[in-house]
Amino acid sequence: MVKNKKAFITGIAGQDGSYLAEYLLSLGYEVAGIVRRNSTVEHQRNRIDEIEGIELSYGDLLDQSSIENALLSFQPDEIYNLAAQSHVRISYDIPQFTTQTNALGVLNMLEAYRRVCPKAKFYQASSSEMFGSSVDEDGYQRETTPMTPVSPYGCTKVFGYNIVRNYRNAYKLHTNNGILFNHESPRRGSNFVTNKVVKSAVMISLGLQDKLELGNMDAYRDWGHSYDYVRAMHLILQQDKPGDYVVATGETRSVRDMCEYVFSKLKLDYRDYVTQNPKFIRPEELPYLKGDSSKIRKELGWELTYTFEGMMDEMIEHWLEIFKKEKV
Ligand code: GDD
């Protein structure tokens, strides 16, 4: 009998962790993950409550013993390190916690992995935020684009990216970076801009809210769907050789364009409702992201299944369903 593969996921209760767990379970994997202790358990697990078959334990990237114990008992074939303080603006409010978790936390994971199960393959959630203000002459960011991060979050992710490459070369470990551009879904936290806009626009359309306050509307982002991006993570770990891959759609839009699409879908004009609040403006902003994902498309055959419009429509439907039920 063929043994099921085993995948261990940190950040399993997050947007990507939940899609990845579902996807791997559908492929026949055994899936385990760690969640941090939280006084309100349902806040922590609402994305994975309905998914059957996940083995969960308490753990934290900053608690080495918890990681080592979890790896020792589960003995994974694949490790996906998705846990992080993932909000860029909030990284200015809690820069030290962000650095401990996103930088030192990756090192803790690598050390535990190296000692406990070095034959496993390791995926690190690296980010397009690492590119910061760098853009190649043709208007794209790719694997070779210099990294000049412009936020505490971006700086921590550069450390994670580099230490993963260092452990690959120094210890001959199968460590990999997925450099993921923004990716969204109905499960996205509603303090990230896409879901904040969709949720508020739906509430406005139903008479439940009057206005929406945003920060910089002239930033450009390359927005894909989390489901497509977790498939890329899995694909990266199926290769014989480790590597680093940009995962992106290759299309870019401003926050303003995104607002226009969402509000007009709901037959509203965003200009009547959206105002700017300096509170949401970042001390330093990353103005423009557009990723060139030719490497993963050509070498690994990765493809998108969602368009931008299909993804935003799914998010609109999600919130409409929730608030219409609440109204009834
Ligand atoms: N969150 C938020 N809230 N962003 C706003 C707002 C607002 O009210 N108004 C404008 N924005 C702008 C931000 O300034 C930024 O330029 C853009 O919307 C996107 O912000 P987020 O959705 O918060 O995402 P992000 O680009 O900062 O970071 C996300 O993508 C990275 C990959 O590039 C996160 O998922 C990171 O964890 C990820 O690494």
Side-chain angles (χ1 to χ4, degrees):
M1 200 177 93
V2 185
K3 183 178 137 308
N4 286 348
K5 275 199 194 171
K6 291 174 155 194
F8 180 78
I9 307 173
T10 72
I12 193 164
Q15 168 188 257
D16 293 358
S18 65
Y19 278 108
L20 180 64
E22 261 172 359
Y23 181 61
L24 295 177
L25 286 165
S26 79
L27 298 179
Y29 275 69
E30 285 178 44
V31 174
I34 46 171
V35 286
R36 280 187 304 149
R37 193 261 162 190
N38 187 305
S39 59
T40 319
V41 180
E42 54 273 22
H43 284 176
Q44 194 73 351
R45 302 195 184 170
N46 59 0
R47 293 187 182 96
I48 51 174
D49 263 347
E50 312 271 290
I51 308 175
E52 278 175 28
I54 301 176
E55 207 177 293
L56 279 186
S57 52
Y58 283 111
D60 192 303
L61 296 198
L62 300 181
D63 185 326
Q64 188 79 25
S65 65
S66 70
I67 309 169
E68 287 189 6
N69 287 338
L71 292 180
L72 257 174
S73 73
F74 189 62
Q75 292 294 332
D77 303 293
E78 297 173 9
I79 300 170
Y80 296 86
N81 187 36
L82 312 186
Q85 192 302 92
S86 65
H87 200 285
V88 175
R89 201 203 51 74
I90 295 173
S91 75
Y92 282 97
D93 299 337
I94 45 172
Q96 287 160 337
F97 173 76
T98 304
T99 305
Q100 282 163 0
T101 305
N102 298 6
L104 205 55
V106 181
L107 181 58
N108 291 346
M109 281 300 298
L110 288 169
E111 276 297 309
Y113 153 55
R114 182 166 85 87
R115 290 194 202 132
V116 176
C117 48
K119 292 211 162 22
K121 295 178 177 177
F122 186 97
Y123 174 89
Q124 168 60 16
S126 285
S127 161
S128 50
E129 188 73 20
M130 300 188 304
F131 295 122
S133 50
S134 291
V135 187
D136 287 356
E137 271 182 13
D138 64 357
Y140 288 86
Q141 287 105 350
R142 46 178 62 83
E143 290 80 3
T144 48
T145 305
M147 292 177 182
T148 53
V150 293
S151 62
Y153 171 85
C155 295
T156 66
K157 284 287 175 180
V158 172
F159 176 85
Y161 168 85
N162 280 321
I163 198 76
V164 160
R165 287 166 59 95
N166 172 234
Y167 270 51
R168 179 191 307 161
N169 298 325
Y171 300 117
K172 310 292 170 246
L173 294 167
H174 201 295
T175 63
N176 302 267
N177 284 295
I179 307 173
L180 270 51
F181 283 60
N182 297 49
H183 45 287
E184 319 295 313
S185 75
R187 295 184 198 171
R188 183 60 139 155
S190 53
N191 60 352
F192 292 91
V193 78
T194 53
N195 225 6
K196 180 174 172 180
V197 168
V198 175
K199 184 180 176 188
S200 294
V202 166
M203 288 180 79
I204 290 169
S205 76
L206 296 173
L208 300 170
Q209 188 175 315
D210 299 329
K211 60 175 184 147
L212 164 63
E213 291 183 342
L214 291 178
N216 177 15
M217 297 183 69
D218 298 311
Y220 281 76
R221 289 293 182 273
D222 176 331
W223 281 296
H225 195 294
S226 172
Y227 168 73
D228 283 339
Y229 289 30
V230 302
R231 286 173 35 253
M233 297 176 190
H234 174 252
L235 204 50
I236 290 170
L237 290 204
Q238 304 322 298
Q239 309 311 309
D240 291 335
K241 282 195 184 153
D244 306 315
Y245 299 88
V246 159
V247 181
T249 70
E251 291 175 13
T252 191
R253 288 176 178 79
S254 67
V255 172
R256 191 179 299 282
D257 293 341
M258 187 264 295
C259 285
E260 189 170 0
Y261 180 80
V262 173
F263 277 81
S264 64
K265 264 275 161 177
L266 294 162
K267 311 220 175 333
L268 300 169
D269 184 336
Y270 81 94
R271 290 170 297 187
D272 296 335
Y273 305 97
V274 178
T275 56
Q276 206 177 51
N277 184 335
K279 166 169 117 184
F280 298 113
I281 304 225
R282 299 167 183 195
E284 191 178 1
E285 169 74 299
L286 192 165
Y288 179 91
L289 283 173
K290 183 164 79 159
D292 172 7
S293 56
S294 314
K295 181 178 173 192
I296 191 165
R297 289 175 198 250
K298 283 192 194 131
E299 291 183 14
L300 312 191
W302 176 73
E303 283 175 357
L304 292 167
T305 66
Y306 274 88
T307 59
F308 172 79
E309 291 78 10
M311 174 177 77
M312 298 310 296
D313 293 353
E314 185 185 87
M315 291 165 71
I316 294 170
E317 276 310 310
H318 168 80
W319 286 111
L320 275 173
E321 217 172 283
I322 288 180
F323 287 119
K324 277 186 180 161
K325 259 191 219 148
E326 274 184 20
K327 265 194 124 179
V328 171

